[in-house]
Amino acid sequence: MTKGLKALIINVGLIFLVSLTAVLLSLRKTDKTYVEIVQNNKVIYSFDLAVEKNRTFCIEAADGGWNEVKIENGEISICDADCPDRTCVKTGVLRSESVPIVCLPHRLVIRFADKENK
């Protein structure tokens, strides 16, 4: 095995480990419970999931579309929507500060936020 090949294998291994670490850190569950729902860059709802009761409600978009948001057992998700690809529904429960729930057609974002700034 040549010196160049060994260096290549080591560099590829390091890049793999760094990438794997970055993915695992971005997907880890957060301890935050304060959530904002933003539509068209404006906060339309904000609440603490630790005290919010289980409920389901609908958010209407300017184009007439809608997203059905579900809060259950301290977790939030979009359980139904009329957007074409339904990526927001497939995202599942909001778990990470790095990965919000996004519905691009309806310009809707559900994300964790800092309660102290409110």
Side-chain angles (χ1 to χ4, degrees), residues 18-63:
V18 168
S19 300
L20 181 63
T21 303
V23 167
L24 291 176
L25 287 175
S26 72
L27 295 177
R28 74 172 191 237
K29 189 164 170 72
T30 184
D31 58 351
K32 287 188 175 183
T33 59
Y34 194 76
V35 174
E36 291 179 337
I37 300 178
V38 180
Q39 190 170 45
N40 295 320
N41 296 320
K42 294 179 184 159
V43 177
I44 58 172
Y45 292 103
S46 58
F47 38 80
D48 189 343
L49 292 174
V51 296
E52 194 70 24
K53 294 183 179 183
N54 293 350
R55 64 183 174 128
T56 303
F57 58 96
C58 194
I59 298 174
E60 293 187 19
D63 66 355

Side-chain angles (χ1 to χ4, degrees), residues 10-116:
I10 290 171
N11 285 333
V12 168
L14 286 174
I15 291 170
F16 174 76
L17 288 175
V18 168
S19 300
L20 181 63
T21 303
V23 167
L24 291 176
L25 287 175
S26 72
L27 295 177
R28 74 172 191 237
K29 189 164 170 72
T30 184
D31 58 351
K32 287 188 175 183
T33 59
Y34 194 76
V35 174
E36 291 179 337
I37 300 178
V38 180
Q39 190 170 45
N40 295 320
N41 296 320
K42 294 179 184 159
V43 177
I44 58 172
Y45 292 103
S46 58
F47 38 80
D48 189 343
L49 292 174
V51 296
E52 194 70 24
K53 294 183 179 183
N54 293 350
R55 64 183 174 128
T56 303
F57 58 96
C58 194
I59 298 174
E60 293 187 19
D63 66 355
W66 52 270
N67 296 83
E68 190 173 332
V69 178
K70 181 179 184 179
I71 300 172
E72 186 173 56
N73 301 324
E75 296 180 322
I76 189 167
S77 63
I78 296 179
C79 59
D80 198 10
D82 72 338
C83 51
D85 60 3
R86 296 174 43 92
T87 300
C88 54
V89 177
K90 295 172 189 170
T91 301
V93 174
L94 180 65
R95 296 189 188 282
S96 170
E97 294 176 56
S98 324
V99 184
I101 299 173
V102 178
C103 181
L104 286 177
H106 298 151
R107 302 189 63 174
L108 185 74
V109 177
I110 301 176
R111 65 184 182 204
F112 286 109
D114 292 326
K115 191 173 186 176
E116 295 81 34

